[in-house]
Each structure stands twice: as C-alpha cells, then as structure tokens.
Amino acid sequence: MRTCFLLNYLSVNEGYQLKKGSVQMAKKQFKAESKRLLDLMINSIYTHKEIFLRELISNASDAIDKSYYRSLVDENVTFNRDDFYIRITPDKGKRTLTITDTGIGMTKEELEENIGTIAKSGSFQFKNENEIKDGVDIIGQFGVGFYSAFMVSDMVTVISKAFGSEEAYMWKSKGSDGYTIEPCEKKTAGTDIILKIKENTEDERYDEFLETYRIKSLVKKYSDFIKYPIKMQVKKSRLKEASETEYEDYYEDEILNSMVPIWRRNKNELKEEDYERFYQDKHFGWEKPLKYIHTSADGAISYNMILYIPSITPFDFYTKEFEKGLQLYSNGVMIMEKCADLLPDYFSFVQGLVDSPDLSLNISRELLQHDRQLKFIAKKVKEKIKSELLNMMKNEPEKYETFYKNFGRQLKYGIYSEWGQNKEILQDLIMFYSSKEKKYVSLDEYVSRMKEDQKYIYYAAGESISRIEKMPQTEMLAEKGFEILYFTDDVDEFAIKTLTEYKEKEFRSVSSGDIDLDADDKKSSEEKEQNKELFDFMKEVLSGKVKEVRASKRLKSHPVCLASEGALSIEMEKVLNMMPENPNVKAEKILELNTNHPMFSAIENAFKENKDKAKKYTNILYNQALLIEGLSIDDPVQYANDVCELMI
C-alpha cells in the first residue's frame, strides 16, 4: 500500500492511495450553486494573481493561531513555540508548490464546511464562537482566500489532520467541477496545501511561482510580519572538506519573514538606526530619511503607524507617474501597497505604513471599503504629519528648511488646489525668502516683525532671488525699511491669491497698481493733472498694451517700471502662458514713470518739440519695462533701431 505522504513527497501527477480499508467517495459539487460563483472568485475578485500566496499564508497563520488559542484556554494542551511554523516547498520537476502549517488542522466535516462551501469562513466562525484574547489575531473573514489558489493552479490538494484526531483527510479539486474528500494518512496535526501550477501561456508566466527568488519577494512584500516563521529550503554552496577550490551544493532552511513588525515594538527599544534600516528594507528610499514618525493608538479604532519624510525629492515626484500612498496592513498582513486615501495630496511626499486590526476589508482583501475607520485613521495621519512638521520648523529650523526646499512647492499647491479648502491647514507651514533676514521665514515670523503702522504683507515675484533684488518696484519699500517676501516658484502667487490674508494682514505685491506707500496724495494729483496731456499721448501710442500711464509712487532712481491691476499679475501672466494650452492671457498693465528722473525731462521736451521723437521714447521706455519684467518685446528689431537712431 502506498500512503499519502507529507508535502515534500506527494506527487500530484501520480495520484494518491486511499487509507487502507477505505472506499473511494464520489465527487461532490460545491454547496454554493457553484460554477458561476467559483469562476467569479477565481477570475474577478483578485486583481493580481500573486495574491494567492498571501491568502494561503494568512490561512496557515490563522490555523496556528487557533492552536495557540487552544493552549491558552485548555491547561491539558501545551505547545512549544518552536512547533509553530509555515513551510513553503516549490518543486519545479513536479510543478507543485506546497504550503504547510503546523496549526490546528481540519476534520472531514470542517473540510466540507470550510472548503466545500464557498464563502464559508472557519476563521470568522471561530472568532464568533470564542472569546479571543492575548493578542491572537485571526485574519480570515470571508472564506474566499483559499480559492485564489485556482488562479495559478490546475488542481489543488489539501491534506489535513485535526488536532487530537486519529484521522486525516485529503480534499482535492480541479475547480468548479467539484471536489472529492478521501481518508488518508498524515503523522502530525496541521494542513498541507499542494498546488499543481499551471503551464505557461502567451500572456502569463506561471513558472515564476516556482522560483525561489519570486517566492521570497512575495513573502517579503505581503507576509513579512506574519508572526510565525515562514520557512523554505534554499540551495546554497560551500567548499568541500579538504578542498580549496571545489564547491558542493546543500540545502538549508531559511526563514523568509521578519515576524515581529517594528511598529509593534516598544519605541524605547528602538534606535534611529532601526528606523533607517526599516526605511531602506521596505524600499521607501536608499538614503537616510529626514524624519521618522512612530505612533500608535488604542481605542474604538486602533492603529500603529510609521511615517517617513524623505531627505531628497524622488526623481518622479512632480510628474504624473508618481503614485502617493502608504502601505496598509491588517494584523501584519499587507492589504495595499499604496493606499492613496490615507494621504492628502499636499502630504503625498510622506512614505510609510499603517497597520490596523479594525479595518472593514472587502471580500478580496485587496481594496478598502471607504468607511469611517479609514477616514478616521486618515484624519489622524494628516494631523500627526502637520504636528511633526510644525515641531520641526520650531525646533529644527535647518532640517525644516531642507525639507521645505524639497517639498515646499507641494504645500503651496495644496493651498491653491481644491478652491483653497486646505489653506487653514497649510498656511503655518509655508515659507518664503526674506529681503531682511536673507533666509526663508514663515508667515508667522514675518507678521511678528511687522512695523506698528504696516498694513500689508509685501511680496515681490520673479524668476530668482537675484532678479527680484534688482526689481525697480522694490526700491522705495526697501528704503522705508519694509520686509519683502520673495516669490520664486511659479505657484507662489497663485497660492497667496488663494490665501488672501494671514492673521488679518492682506498680501500686497510690490508691483500692485494700488500699493500704499503713504505718498503725498495731493502732490500725486497735481502731477497727474500737470502731465495729463503727456500721459494721454503715451497711452495712445501704446494703445491696447497698457491700461494707463502715470507718475510712479514707488520709483526712486530707476526711470520706468510696470505695475498691474486686477486679479492677474504680470508674473501670473507669464506662468499661465507657459502652459501647454497657452491661453494667451494678459494682465492689466500700467506704465509708471519716475518724474524725478532725467529721462522724464527728455520725454517732456520731446513731447513739446517733436512728437515723432516722443513716440520713439515712449516705445523704448515700454520695451525697457517689459525687459525688466522678463517679458518678450513684440518687435526687437524696431526697438534696436529706435535706440540707435536716438544715439546718432
């Protein structure tokens, strides 16, 4: 008689022998009306075929948990912790992959109920019938994970012996055509699941699930924190005895999983190096993280999380290809590689994971139902990130500046996007370069230094700090001792227009047409009236290009500049016109002249004596103002000719 051997020796190709004296049972149909339902389980529920290994390992872990629980509640049952493990055995020759556990096993009736009935969860029933305690986490809920094995298998064989039973049984199925259950022999309690891996097709390469490296990577990805060792024999080489050149192969058990998640360990036991190593092991990045956040909560909704702020910007961060999200675990089993719902877009740079036993999983355990638990955890993640960033800004300013140079633009996009609904959350986190401090400062720091009679938060927008420092519009403000914030990112002014004010102080551009510099309004009115004919003449020459020509309140030594009115500034015009759609928008420009500059006397004289010459002066001054702003001029050849003609 041939017996039903343990997993390493069972050849599914050769069939099996029944236990002596038994009678072969007829094939049974699944109890859940079944072909259509099982087809759905196999082909529709799971997005990725590789998920099958996660599901079978999770089931194996549940089976061991049940044995562990039994030892807690029954004083006559004792187990050695070393007795609990999961083993994976690939066999390329027989094309089988076997997953063995040393758990509680199943009786014939339980095989019928738990596997013969689709969507019948033995784990869920066990949780309901027992008062689970002392950290025994039963993962399975729906009873469908087992059937994911048929995504990669032509045939699935289950050999199981229940704890305390003398009998073992073999369950066998090729899928929706039904199954058989036969008595067989097995020495120890537990379950062996043997998958007959499908042949490769043009579209699918099933061989990969027999490769050692692939099995290792899947265990590391999905089941690294299953709390029981997952073992596999791995081929290795060593020098032969008494030889310096010849090697021999041998096999050695290797534990594939870490077992104890770092986030469940006491923070007092962990060092910075532990967090850095975990960051690199999980492929969040190869460099050291700038900051890590480790926190947990127990209550109606419990969770653990480790979050990281990278020290450098990912190469694809500001591209469409970048995918945000945190790894999501339930009881140490990875559910999602990137759970986007846990992070708002403005904190998309954060890496890390969240583990919670209280999530409502959907049937495939791949996606999350959008329920209050997930929203609650996402809210706590957001609050914790903001709190840690504020703390870094206050206590580690140099580190925060490093962070801000990498990801500050994302915070400003967060203020601008979604119609400004996140501006209250983000306004305390943004920074700008200060004309006085010569470094990046927060809005709170700026307001705290404002002069007693200062009405506005002044800013200047330009391509770079050096360009802004040369802007004519900043000259008078600087002389009066006002601090100016420099906007050098294309999103800066859009964000500030959305913010509108900070601590009841409005923002005002140095190029704004209605800037308030406490100028002598009476003198301004007299100048306007006195030069009305000249300004009207120049406006007509520049018809359609400027809204107005007027005397400047802000120029001191420079002859000319442009100001703007309305919601759209000159810098915003430049940004919008660089976009692919190229809307060709125009800001409402005002040409301002320094009436105390020698240039003004020259154009006044030309206006009185030679209108053609005055036209050339007007065009030259306008084009000079455009160049100062970094804008292109319509006819550079004509501009050059006008300058040369006036030089002769």
Side-chain angles (χ1 to χ4, degrees):
M1 180 195 78
R2 290 174 55 208
T3 59
C4 172
F5 296 106
L6 292 178
L7 63 140
N8 294 23
Y9 306 104
L10 179 70
S11 170
V12 177
N13 287 331
E14 295 175 2
Y16 57 90
Q17 294 290 334
L18 307 179
K19 187 177 179 182
K20 187 175 181 180
S22 65
V23 178
Q24 185 168 351
M25 300 171 66
K27 181 176 290 185
K28 298 185 177 184
Q29 293 300 312
F30 289 105
K31 294 182 180 179
E33 305 186 60
S34 216
K35 185 172 183 354
R36 186 175 178 185
L37 181 55
L38 186 56
D39 286 343
L40 177 67
M41 298 289 178
I42 297 170
N43 300 314
S44 301
I45 288 179
Y46 294 95
T47 307
H48 304 292
K49 287 182 168 60
E50 65 185 33
I51 294 295
F52 83 93
L53 190 58
R54 179 194 72 181
E55 295 297 313
L56 296 182
I57 290 173
S58 296
N59 289 346
S61 176
D62 283 349
I64 298 174
D65 271 335
K66 293 170 188 177
S67 289
Y68 177 56
Y69 176 78
R70 182 105 177 236
S71 71
L72 294 176
V73 298
D74 189 344
E75 60 184 16
N76 297 317
V77 177
T78 58
F79 285 105
N80 188 321
R81 186 74 181 180
D82 294 337
D83 294 336
F84 295 143
Y85 62 86
I86 300 165
R87 180 178 290 281
I88 301 175
T89 306
D91 188 326
K92 291 183 181 179
K94 297 174 182 176
R95 223 176 159 70
T96 61
L97 181 68
T98 305
I99 296 91
T100 294
D101 69 70
T102 58
I104 202 165
M106 288 178 281
T107 64
K108 177 185 176 183
E109 290 73 20
E110 287 169 335
L111 281 169
E112 286 271 12
E113 289 296 311
N114 298 339
I115 302 181
T117 303
I118 299 174
K120 168 75 173 181
S121 173
S123 293
F124 185 73
Q125 182 177 347
F126 182 83
K127 291 167 73 175
N128 286 340
E129 292 177 353
N130 296 276
E131 183 182 350
I132 303 302
K133 60 183 180 179
D134 292 341
V136 181
D137 299 322
I138 304 297
I139 301 167
Q141 295 186 54
F142 298 102
V144 300
F146 168 80
Y147 302 98
S148 64
F150 287 102
M151 293 192 297
V152 299
S153 310
D154 289 324
M155 182 166 61
V156 178
T157 302
V158 180
I159 301 169
S160 192
K161 182 177 182 179
F163 177 80
S165 173
E166 297 296 324
E167 299 291 334
Y169 291 90
M170 176 187 287
W171 181 99
K172 196 170 187 178
S173 175
K174 291 184 178 180
S176 57
D177 62 338
Y179 63 92
T180 59
I181 297 181
E182 316 287 356
C184 71
E185 293 185 356
K186 190 177 188 306
K187 291 182 179 179
T188 58
T191 301
D192 310 328
I193 299 177
I194 305 101
L195 311 182
K196 184 67 167 64
I197 300 300
K198 292 179 179 180
E199 297 291 339
N200 292 338
T201 66
E202 289 184 6
D203 300 323
E204 301 287 349
R205 184 177 176 274
Y206 294 99
D207 283 356
E208 64 175 320
F209 301 120
L210 296 169
E211 297 289 348
T212 299
Y213 78 91
R214 181 66 167 136
I215 294 169
K216 284 183 177 182
S217 69
L218 291 179
V219 170
K220 201 71 179 171
K221 180 177 181 180
Y222 292 108
S223 308
D224 195 28
F225 305 113
I226 291 290
K227 57 180 171 288
Y228 305 107
I230 302 172
K231 301 179 180 181
M232 184 168 66
Q233 283 200 340
V234 177
K235 185 178 180 180
K236 298 186 177 183
S237 296
R238 63 189 170 198
L239 281 170
K240 289 184 176 180
E241 290 187 19
S243 173
E244 296 182 357
T245 57
E246 291 185 86
Y247 287 82
E248 62 182 359
D249 293 334
Y250 70 100
Y251 287 85
E252 181 177 271
D253 267 359
E254 185 175 313
I255 296 176
L256 308 182
N257 59 324
S258 304
M259 289 184 281
V260 180
I262 186 174
W263 60 84
R264 290 187 181 176
R265 292 168 61 185
N266 192 319
K267 285 186 275 188
N268 297 331
E269 299 174 359
L270 296 167
K271 299 179 180 178
E272 187 171 339
E273 294 79 13
D274 296 315
Y275 291 104
E276 291 172 355
R277 190 181 307 112
F278 183 75
Y279 179 80
Q280 294 170 346
D281 287 347
K282 297 305 290 182
H283 306 297
F284 296 136
W286 296 111
E287 74 295 340
K288 289 183 179 181
L290 188 67
K291 183 84 173 175
Y292 64 84
I293 304 165
H294 184 183
T295 188
S296 60
D298 291 313
I301 300 175
S302 300
Y303 59 85
N304 291 277
M305 62 181 173
I306 295 182
L307 309 176
Y308 292 97
I309 297 173
S311 57
I312 61 173
T313 311
F315 72 94
D316 62 343
F317 183 69
Y318 289 107
T319 69
K320 292 180 180 179
E321 286 70 35
F322 181 79
E323 187 179 1
K324 71 165 183 172
L326 301 176
Q327 290 184 351
L328 184 63
Y329 288 78
S330 179
N331 287 322
V333 177
M334 194 177 81
I335 305 304
M336 296 181 70
E337 178 73 31
K338 294 280 189 181
C339 183
D341 292 329
L342 285 172
L343 284 178
D345 285 345
Y346 50 81
F347 288 155
S348 60
F349 50 83
V350 175
Q351 302 270 24
L353 57 89
V354 171
D355 185 9
S356 174
D358 299 320
L359 299 169
S360 297
L361 304 181
N362 71 6
I363 196 168
S364 68
R365 235 183 354 220
E366 289 180 287
L367 301 172
L368 230 10
Q369 296 170 358
H370 298 274
D371 58 10
R372 65 181 186 86
Q373 291 98 328
L374 183 64
K375 291 177 181 177
F376 176 84
I377 295 173
K379 179 174 180 289
K380 294 301 180 183
V381 168
K382 179 175 67 177
E383 290 172 355
K384 189 63 178 176
I385 294 170
K386 179 180 177 180
S387 172
E388 290 294 327
L389 288 175
L390 287 173
N391 185 59
M392 192 197 304
M393 178 190 281
K394 179 181 178 181
N395 299 316
E396 301 174 281
E398 291 183 3
K399 184 179 284 190
Y400 189 83
E401 187 168 337
T402 299
F403 152 76
Y404 194 77
K405 286 179 179 177
N406 289 328
F407 303 110
R409 179 183 292 185
Q410 190 68 11
L411 301 182
K412 291 177 283 193
Y413 277 127
I415 291 174
Y416 171 67
S417 63
E418 299 183 63
W419 297 278
Q421 69 179 29
N422 301 308
K423 63 183 182 180
E424 299 296 328
I425 299 170
L426 299 172
Q427 61 183 355
D428 292 320
L429 295 173
I430 60 174
M431 302 174 75
F432 300 99
Y433 189 85
S434 163
S435 63
K436 274 193 172 181
E437 298 296 315
K438 305 301 181 185
K439 65 177 184 178
Y440 284 84
V441 301
S442 68
L443 296 179
D444 184 64
E445 289 176 294
Y446 181 100
V447 171
S448 70
R449 291 192 294 266
M450 284 178 64
K451 293 183 173 185
E452 190 173 339
D453 58 344
Q454 185 176 339
K455 298 178 182 178
Y456 304 111
I457 299 172
Y458 293 110
Y459 70 86
E463 295 175 9
S464 65
I465 291 171
S466 60
R467 286 287 297 269
I468 294 174
E469 286 178 331
K470 297 173 183 176
M471 286 177 62
Q473 295 93 325
T474 65
E475 191 174 33
M476 187 66 76
L477 281 166
E479 185 180 79
K480 289 178 176 288
F482 289 114
E483 184 175 6
I484 304 170
L485 298 177
Y486 292 178
F487 290 2
T488 54
D489 271 344
D490 51 12
V491 70
D492 285 350
E493 204 166 2
F494 292 91
I496 291 304
K497 293 281 187 180
T498 303
L499 200 55
T500 66
E501 64 177 25
Y502 180 81
K503 292 191 174 179
E504 300 182 348
K505 297 291 185 180
E506 289 184 35
F507 293 91
R508 189 61 56 92
S509 170
V510 299
S511 299
S512 173
D514 59 349
I515 193 169
D516 184 356
L517 294 176
D518 296 324
D520 187 335
D521 291 335
K522 183 179 179 181
K523 180 181 177 183
S524 297
S525 298
E526 289 176 354
E527 280 188 331
K528 182 177 181 180
E529 187 62 33
Q530 182 180 342
N531 298 300
K532 184 177 186 304
E533 286 188 46
L534 172 60
F535 291 157
D536 287 345
F537 169 80
M538 296 180 73
K539 178 182 176 181
E540 186 177 347
V541 172
L542 300 173
S543 177
K545 297 178 180 178
V546 298
K547 181 182 179 181
E548 185 182 353
V549 179
R550 68 186 180 197
S552 178
K553 301 176 184 179
R554 75 193 89 213
L555 293 175
K556 183 173 173 58
S557 61
H558 295 277
V560 67
C561 73
L562 286 177
S564 62
E565 284 188 354
L568 191 67
S569 72
I570 294 171
E571 278 301 311
M572 294 169 76
E573 172 191 311
K574 289 194 286 185
V575 172
L576 291 172
N577 287 329
M578 285 190 294
M579 292 184 175
E581 296 81 5
N582 192 10
N584 195 30
V585 296
K586 298 292 183 182
E588 290 187 344
K589 300 180 182 69
I590 298 168
L591 186 66
E592 291 193 353
L593 304 177
N594 183 355
T595 56
N596 296 317
H597 194 278
M599 167 281 305
F600 190 74
S601 299
I603 198 169
E604 274 187 311
N605 293 333
F607 177 65
K608 294 174 183 177
E609 299 172 3
N610 187 337
K611 293 291 191 293
D612 288 337
K613 191 174 185 180
K615 285 183 180 179
K616 285 185 171 60
Y617 277 145
T618 299
N619 285 317
I620 288 172
L621 287 170
Y622 173 68
N623 285 327
Q624 284 179 338
L626 289 176
L627 292 173
I628 289 169
E629 291 295 329
L631 295 169
S632 59
I633 56 181
D634 294 335
D635 191 344
V637 174
Q638 184 61 50
Y639 170 70
N641 289 339
D642 287 344
V643 171
C644 290
E645 185 177 331
L646 292 172
M647 292 173 65
I648 298 173

